[in-house]
Amino acid sequence: IKKLNLNELLLNEADTWKGVKYVWGGTTRKGVDCSAFVRNVYKNSLNISLPRTSRQQYNNTCLVEPTNKRVGDLVFFFNSKGVHHVGIIYGEGKFIHASSSRGVRVDSLEEGYWSKKKKSYHRII
């Protein structure tokens, strides 16, 4: 029997959410927002409880240098009002998140829309 490591457990759970539509304030597979997606993935896969909002998650995790980020770390995005989006590092240059326009999906951190956004990487201890 193959034992899955923590990253595999986390990403396997995240994958089961792909395609779920985005609903602001949503917390279920019928519709989920970015912070609830992250919260559900961590709770369902590793039994780790995270706060409900992206700002609370940002304030309750530890900053990681961009060169030290790894699969499973959180990536936070900012606008003029502060933290406004969160996702999970999915692999080299990629993250999985609940996109407000396309639902739960994997996107590039290094190309396109998200590459231009101010971001911060955080780890759950």
Side-chain angles (χ1 to χ4, degrees), residues 5-86:
N5 68 36
L6 296 181
N7 289 342
E8 289 172 321
L9 290 170
L10 189 74
L11 295 184
N12 286 346
E13 174 63 22
D15 282 343
T16 70
W17 287 80
K18 283 180 182 172
V20 172
K21 70 180 178 178
Y22 181 93
V23 173
W24 189 84
T27 60
T28 70
R29 291 178 191 271
K30 291 182 180 178
V32 69
D33 67 18
C34 64
S35 57
F37 165 69
V38 167
R39 186 173 194 235
N40 283 324
V41 168
Y42 268 88
K43 184 65 176 167
N44 295 348
S45 63
L46 304 177
N47 202 30
I48 292 173
S49 295
L50 294 175
R52 173 63 183 91
T53 69
S54 56
R55 184 169 289 130
Q56 291 167 333
Q57 291 171 1
Y58 176 87
N59 289 331
N60 285 278
T61 53
C62 296
L63 181 66
V64 175
E65 290 299 320
T67 54
N68 292 331
K69 72 184 181 296
R70 61 184 187 218
V71 170
D73 285 344
L74 302 184
V75 56
F76 293 93
F77 297 88
F78 301 85
N79 64 17
S80 61
K81 296 178 183 173
V83 174
H84 84 101
H85 192 63
V86 63

